[in-house]
Amino acid sequence: MYINMKHRRSCLLWGAIGMVLFAVGDVLLRNFEDSGETFLYMIKPSIQNQPMWQLYFVLLTGAVASPLMWLGLCAMRSHIADSLDGRKSKMLVCYDAGAVIGSLTFFAAHSVCAVLMMSVKNALECGITPEQTDEVYKTSFLLSFAVTNVWVTVTELMLSAAFIYFVFKGIIAVPKVMCIMNTIGAYIIFHLIGSLLSAVTGNGVFKLLAGLGASLGVGLMFVTVCFARNKPEKETVK
């Protein structure tokens, strides 16, 4: 979907807002308490204390964030296409593939995790032990979690590779140092910030920042393109 220059910046900003909503969902899908041993590879018994509304909120924000993400991806693609001015680029094909996969799998990953956590929470509240829950859900959890997260990782790599390439080639006209404003760079930045804050404050909750690279990384790309120099529009010959 081509978005003209007049509406492009607002669409990019809406896309960035969508990625912030995904990031909120990423946080709500984590257990904050460290009580008990982890089961199902990442869930803690303290999930019983997590309000169910948080998991419903993850589904709601994901449903809103997904079309906003697509809007931002389309606006970014329109900027790149204008800058290429009709030239073909294999990296644009890479970007297109990452955009299609990403707009589907980001919401899918959030939905799978939220629904599974709802099921586990209900099972524990009914008196089923974590060991029994682990035995029943392990296969389905591992398969669904692996598939969705592999696709999210593929999306991150495709979009980040295309973004870095277009920044270095001047297609996205921003200083080359801005190439770090992608999912890979965001993982490194937020991991360092989270580790530093945890060490200074002694509060492990800041380590949650390390898991926000995927969502906020895409949002940073949108914001960066907002400040990129647009290709001058051609004058109409009368």
Side-chain angles (χ1 to χ4, degrees), residues 118-131:
M118 288 179 188
S119 301
V120 170
K121 176 178 169 63
N122 287 332
L124 293 174
E125 289 176 347
C126 289
I128 299 175
T129 65
E131 292 75 20

PDB file of all heavy atoms in Angstrom, residues 118-131:
ATOM      1  N   MET A 118      -3.220 -18.011  29.985  1.00  0.00           N
ATOM      2  CA  MET A 118      -4.562 -18.072  30.571  1.00  0.00           C
ATOM      3  C   MET A 118      -4.910 -19.509  30.953  1.00  0.00           C
ATOM      4  O   MET A 118      -5.435 -19.774  32.052  1.00  0.00           O
ATOM      5  CB  MET A 118      -5.602 -17.558  29.569  1.00  0.00           C
ATOM      6  CG  MET A 118      -5.577 -16.072  29.324  1.00  0.00           C
ATOM      7  SD  MET A 118      -6.833 -15.629  28.089  1.00  0.00           S
ATOM      8  CE  MET A 118      -6.429 -13.908  27.816  1.00  0.00           C
ATOM      9  N   SER A 119      -4.596 -20.447  30.049  1.00  0.00           N
ATOM     10  CA  SER A 119      -4.901 -21.862  30.296  1.00  0.00           C
ATOM     11  C   SER A 119      -4.109 -22.386  31.487  1.00  0.00           C
ATOM     12  O   SER A 119      -4.646 -23.106  32.346  1.00  0.00           O
ATOM     13  CB  SER A 119      -4.580 -22.692  29.045  1.00  0.00           C
ATOM     14  OG  SER A 119      -5.325 -22.243  27.931  1.00  0.00           O
ATOM     15  N   VAL A 120      -2.833 -22.033  31.553  1.00  0.00           N
ATOM     16  CA  VAL A 120      -1.984 -22.485  32.654  1.00  0.00           C
ATOM     17  C   VAL A 120      -2.460 -21.890  33.978  1.00  0.00           C
ATOM     18  O   VAL A 120      -2.531 -22.587  34.999  1.00  0.00           O
ATOM     19  CB  VAL A 120      -0.518 -22.097  32.383  1.00  0.00           C
ATOM     20  CG1 VAL A 120       0.343 -22.349  33.622  1.00  0.00           C
ATOM     21  CG2 VAL A 120       0.034 -22.876  31.198  1.00  0.00           C
ATOM     22  N   LYS A 121      -2.790 -20.612  33.973  1.00  0.00           N
ATOM     23  CA  LYS A 121      -3.280 -19.945  35.189  1.00  0.00           C
ATOM     24  C   LYS A 121      -4.554 -20.621  35.697  1.00  0.00           C
ATOM     25  O   LYS A 121      -4.683 -20.894  36.899  1.00  0.00           O
ATOM     26  CB  LYS A 121      -3.548 -18.469  34.895  1.00  0.00           C
ATOM     27  CG  LYS A 121      -4.148 -17.678  36.059  1.00  0.00           C
ATOM     28  CD  LYS A 121      -4.316 -16.223  35.672  1.00  0.00           C
ATOM     29  CE  LYS A 121      -5.153 -15.470  36.693  1.00  0.00           C
ATOM     30  NZ  LYS A 121      -4.518 -15.432  38.024  1.00  0.00           N
ATOM     31  N   ASN A 122      -5.488 -20.905  34.788  1.00  0.00           N
ATOM     32  CA  ASN A 122      -6.732 -21.569  35.185  1.00  0.00           C
ATOM     33  C   ASN A 122      -6.468 -22.970  35.724  1.00  0.00           C
ATOM     34  O   ASN A 122      -7.104 -23.413  36.688  1.00  0.00           O
ATOM     35  CB  ASN A 122      -7.689 -21.644  33.994  1.00  0.00           C
ATOM     36  CG  ASN A 122      -8.290 -20.291  33.654  1.00  0.00           C
ATOM     37  OD1 ASN A 122      -8.433 -19.429  34.515  1.00  0.00           O
ATOM     38  ND2 ASN A 122      -8.644 -20.084  32.393  1.00  0.00           N
ATOM     39  N   ALA A 123      -5.523 -23.685  35.098  1.00  0.00           N
ATOM     40  CA  ALA A 123      -5.197 -25.039  35.548  1.00  0.00           C
ATOM     41  C   ALA A 123      -4.631 -25.022  36.961  1.00  0.00           C
ATOM     42  O   ALA A 123      -5.023 -25.836  37.817  1.00  0.00           O
ATOM     43  CB  ALA A 123      -4.196 -25.675  34.579  1.00  0.00           C
ATOM     44  N   LEU A 124      -3.728 -24.091  37.227  1.00  0.00           N
ATOM     45  CA  LEU A 124      -3.136 -23.998  38.561  1.00  0.00           C
ATOM     46  C   LEU A 124      -4.172 -23.618  39.608  1.00  0.00           C
ATOM     47  O   LEU A 124      -4.143 -24.127  40.735  1.00  0.00           O
ATOM     48  CB  LEU A 124      -1.997 -22.969  38.549  1.00  0.00           C
ATOM     49  CG  LEU A 124      -0.759 -23.326  37.725  1.00  0.00           C
ATOM     50  CD1 LEU A 124       0.216 -22.164  37.689  1.00  0.00           C
ATOM     51  CD2 LEU A 124      -0.073 -24.576  38.272  1.00  0.00           C
ATOM     52  N   GLU A 125      -5.088 -22.729  39.228  1.00  0.00           N
ATOM     53  CA  GLU A 125      -6.133 -22.304  40.172  1.00  0.00           C
ATOM     54  C   GLU A 125      -7.116 -23.434  40.473  1.00  0.00           C
ATOM     55  O   GLU A 125      -7.776 -23.426  41.512  1.00  0.00           O
ATOM     56  CB  GLU A 125      -6.868 -21.093  39.608  1.00  0.00           C
ATOM     57  CG  GLU A 125      -6.014 -19.815  39.621  1.00  0.00           C
ATOM     58  CD  GLU A 125      -6.719 -18.627  38.979  1.00  0.00           C
ATOM     59  OE1 GLU A 125      -7.755 -18.849  38.317  1.00  0.00           O
ATOM     60  OE2 GLU A 125      -6.240 -17.492  39.145  1.00  0.00           O
ATOM     61  N   CYS A 126      -7.207 -24.398  39.572  1.00  0.00           N
ATOM     62  CA  CYS A 126      -8.091 -25.558  39.786  1.00  0.00           C
ATOM     63  C   CYS A 126      -7.415 -26.650  40.613  1.00  0.00           C
ATOM     64  O   CYS A 126      -8.013 -27.701  40.863  1.00  0.00           O
ATOM     65  CB  CYS A 126      -8.528 -26.142  38.441  1.00  0.00           C
ATOM     66  SG  CYS A 126      -9.692 -25.088  37.547  1.00  0.00           S
ATOM     67  N   GLY A 127      -6.176 -26.416  41.011  1.00  0.00           N
ATOM     68  CA  GLY A 127      -5.493 -27.370  41.884  1.00  0.00           C
ATOM     69  C   GLY A 127      -4.519 -28.289  41.181  1.00  0.00           C
ATOM     70  O   GLY A 127      -3.909 -29.151  41.824  1.00  0.00           O
ATOM     71  N   ILE A 128      -4.359 -28.147  39.871  1.00  0.00           N
ATOM     72  CA  ILE A 128      -3.388 -28.969  39.138  1.00  0.00           C
ATOM     73  C   ILE A 128      -1.983 -28.458  39.466  1.00  0.00           C
ATOM     74  O   ILE A 128      -1.734 -27.253  39.469  1.00  0.00           O
ATOM     75  CB  ILE A 128      -3.647 -28.896  37.622  1.00  0.00           C
ATOM     76  CG1 ILE A 128      -5.041 -29.420  37.313  1.00  0.00           C
ATOM     77  CG2 ILE A 128      -2.603 -29.687  36.841  1.00  0.00           C
ATOM     78  CD1 ILE A 128      -5.441 -29.281  35.867  1.00  0.00           C
ATOM     79  N   THR A 129      -1.072 -29.352  39.745  1.00  0.00           N
ATOM     80  CA  THR A 129       0.271 -28.955  40.153  1.00  0.00           C
ATOM     81  C   THR A 129       1.078 -28.455  38.946  1.00  0.00           C
ATOM     82  O   THR A 129       0.793 -28.816  37.805  1.00  0.00           O
ATOM     83  CB  THR A 129       1.026 -30.136  40.779  1.00  0.00           C
ATOM     84  OG1 THR A 129       1.237 -31.144  39.771  1.00  0.00           O
ATOM     85  CG2 THR A 129       0.243 -30.716  41.941  1.00  0.00           C
ATOM     86  N   PRO A 130       2.110 -27.634  39.205  1.00  0.00           N
ATOM     87  CA  PRO A 130       2.982 -27.185  38.114  1.00  0.00           C
ATOM     88  C   PRO A 130       3.608 -28.348  37.343  1.00  0.00           C
ATOM     89  O   PRO A 130       3.787 -28.277  36.130  1.00  0.00           O
ATOM     90  CB  PRO A 130       4.049 -26.355  38.840  1.00  0.00           C
ATOM     91  CG  PRO A 130       3.364 -25.848  40.055  1.00  0.00           C
ATOM     92  CD  PRO A 130       2.449 -26.960  40.477  1.00  0.00           C
ATOM     93  N   GLU A 131       3.934 -29.442  38.068  1.00  0.00           N
ATOM     94  CA  GLU A 131       4.534 -30.607  37.418  1.00  0.00           C
ATOM     95  C   GLU A 131       3.560 -31.238  36.429  1.00  0.00           C
ATOM     96  O   GLU A 131       3.938 -31.624  35.311  1.00  0.00           O
ATOM     97  CB  GLU A 131       4.965 -31.646  38.461  1.00  0.00           C
ATOM     98  CG  GLU A 131       6.126 -31.226  39.355  1.00  0.00           C
ATOM     99  CD  GLU A 131       5.722 -30.207  40.412  1.00  0.00           C
ATOM    100  OE1 GLU A 131       4.503 -30.109  40.711  1.00  0.00           O
ATOM    101  OE2 GLU A 131       6.618 -29.518  40.927  1.00  0.00           O
TER     102      GLU A 131
END
